Amino acid sequence: MKGLSVILEKLIAREWFKSFFVSLFVLITLVAVANLVSELLRDLVPVTVILQNFLLDVPRWSSTIIPLCTMLATLFSLNHFQQNNELVAILSLGIERSTFLVLLFCFSFIISSLGLFLTGVMAPYSNRLKLVVMEEDVGKFRSNKSYGIKASTMISGKVWYRSKGKITSFQVFDKNNLTITGPTIYYYNDKSELSSIVYAKKATGASMSREWLLEEVKVIKELDKKEIFPQEELIKEIKWDLHETPEDFKKIETDVLQLDLIKLYKYIKKIEMLGLNTNE
């Protein structure tokens, strides 16, 4: 009886996975054709760049397709067994319904684990790789419109980005109140030498304005002049031109898409420690 049970389990597994891979192939083909044709018609970048973008996008949309394929595989396999009276035959041979359902659950769990790996590891990695391989063309694709100023989110929970003449870091941007927590601005001269540093507890901006109100500010100047000792100045409040608007910071924040599950968890905990809403 045990040998018969193993044979039936293999039969169920073969039919389920056959339905899964057929569904996966059909949906991938539809998505691939739609994406490639759409970008080819726009004719903004060479064909090789379109193919690069498509391949790097595979983990992202595969994580959406896989759950649908799992459901279709279950429905199609059950329908196949029922139409051929194989389901009745399997149950009549002593295989319990619970065993049948446990098998389907195990198959779904295996595929769901694959989807979690694609979503939590491969998709963030491909997002980071895009900014390296397609640095100049990444913003020309519809699927990449969320990419903003090039930035990287460190394990410490800070976001860093570089713009002309300066490097800026901050802990978190609150898009509802248009505030930046813990901004630090490093200015450098034409020789790429650090010239000054501006620390602030918080910065508050206005819509479409590059001028921000910095609170509890410490400015260290003359760092690039060897003959002068660096000057330190403490300011309670000051208006400061960051060269970026709140809209720019909203785009920078989208780089959390490049974090894998562990780094994303640490980033969320860091935001919670600052007392900000993490439910959005």
Side-chain angles (χ1 to χ4, degrees), residues 178-238:
L178 301 183
T179 58
I180 303 170
T181 305
T184 304
I185 311 162
Y186 303 86
Y187 291 95
Y188 53 90
N189 58 25
D190 296 336
K191 297 180 181 179
S192 298
E193 297 175 340
L194 184 65
S195 59
S196 61
I197 306 175
V198 178
Y199 302 94
K201 183 178 181 180
K202 187 174 73 171
T204 305
S207 180
M208 304 308 294
S209 174
R210 301 196 311 176
E211 197 172 70
W212 296 71
L213 180 64
L214 273 57
E215 301 177 15
E216 298 185 28
V217 185
K218 180 169 74 171
V219 181
I220 303 176
K221 301 182 289 186
E222 314 295 349
L223 291 171
D224 55 340
K225 296 181 180 179
K226 297 180 181 179
E227 66 277 5
I228 301 176
F229 194 79
Q231 304 295 314
E232 183 176 311
E233 183 180 1
L234 299 177
I235 307 170
K236 187 175 181 180
E237 285 186 353
I238 187 173

Side-chain angles (χ1 to χ4, degrees), residues 13-260:
R14 184 178 63 188
E15 185 60 36
W16 192 91
F17 280 103
K18 183 178 76 174
S19 300
F20 173 80
F21 285 114
V22 169
S23 303
L24 186 65
F25 174 77
V26 171
L27 291 178
I28 284 179
T29 303
L30 290 173
V31 172
V33 170
N35 286 351
L36 292 174
V37 170
S38 174
E39 296 298 342
L40 286 170
L41 290 175
R42 295 179 72 207
D43 196 25
L44 296 179
V45 292
V47 176
T48 53
V49 178
I50 292 175
L51 291 174
Q52 280 182 343
N53 182 73
F54 170 74
L55 292 175
L56 290 172
D57 263 346
V58 168
R60 180 177 59 83
W61 49 257
S62 291
S63 62
T64 305
I65 288 176
I66 283 177
L68 179 59
C69 292
T70 304
M71 181 189 71
L72 291 175
T74 303
L75 293 175
F76 289 157
S77 58
L78 287 174
N79 183 62
H80 174 81
F81 289 136
Q82 185 178 6
Q83 283 188 343
N84 297 327
N85 294 322
E86 293 177 4
L87 184 59
V88 176
I90 290 171
L91 296 176
S92 65
L93 289 172
I95 301 296
E96 297 182 359
R97 289 183 176 85
S98 58
T99 304
F100 191 83
L101 293 174
V102 167
L103 282 173
L104 295 180
F105 174 80
C106 290
F107 301 153
S108 301
F109 179 78
I110 293 170
I111 300 302
S112 298
S113 300
L114 174 62
L116 181 63
F117 174 75
L118 290 172
T119 304
V121 180
M122 293 306 299
Y125 175 75
S126 67
N127 287 335
R128 294 194 300 269
L129 195 59
K130 271 187 184 182
L131 294 176
V132 177
V133 178
M134 304 166 50
E135 184 174 5
E136 296 180 357
D137 300 314
V138 69
K140 296 179 181 179
F141 293 88
R142 291 174 179 172
S143 59
N144 301 336
K145 288 300 181 183
S146 61
Y147 282 87
I149 298 173
K150 186 176 179 182
S152 59
T153 307
M154 303 299 183
I155 296 176
S156 63
K158 285 193 173 184
V159 179
W160 296 75
Y161 72 91
R162 183 172 182 169
S163 54
K164 188 176 181 180
K166 66 185 177 71
I167 297 174
T168 305
S169 71
F170 62 94
Q171 291 175 317
V172 68
F173 172 67
D174 186 346
K175 63 182 180 182
N176 294 323
N177 299 317
L178 301 183
T179 58
I180 303 170
T181 305
T184 304
I185 311 162
Y186 303 86
Y187 291 95
Y188 53 90
N189 58 25
D190 296 336
K191 297 180 181 179
S192 298
E193 297 175 340
L194 184 65
S195 59
S196 61
I197 306 175
V198 178
Y199 302 94
K201 183 178 181 180
K202 187 174 73 171
T204 305
S207 180
M208 304 308 294
S209 174
R210 301 196 311 176
E211 197 172 70
W212 296 71
L213 180 64
L214 273 57
E215 301 177 15
E216 298 185 28
V217 185
K218 180 169 74 171
V219 181
I220 303 176
K221 301 182 289 186
E222 314 295 349
L223 291 171
D224 55 340
K225 296 181 180 179
K226 297 180 181 179
E227 66 277 5
I228 301 176
F229 194 79
Q231 304 295 314
E232 183 176 311
E233 183 180 1
L234 299 177
I235 307 170
K236 187 175 181 180
E237 285 186 353
I238 187 173
K239 289 187 177 181
W240 203 274
D241 188 353
L242 295 184
H243 302 293
E244 283 83 38
T245 67
E247 288 298 320
D248 294 324
F249 280 94
K250 288 179 183 179
K251 294 178 180 179
I252 292 172
E253 279 288 279
T254 61
D255 276 4
V256 296
L257 297 174
Q258 301 175 26
L259 300 178
D260 58 37

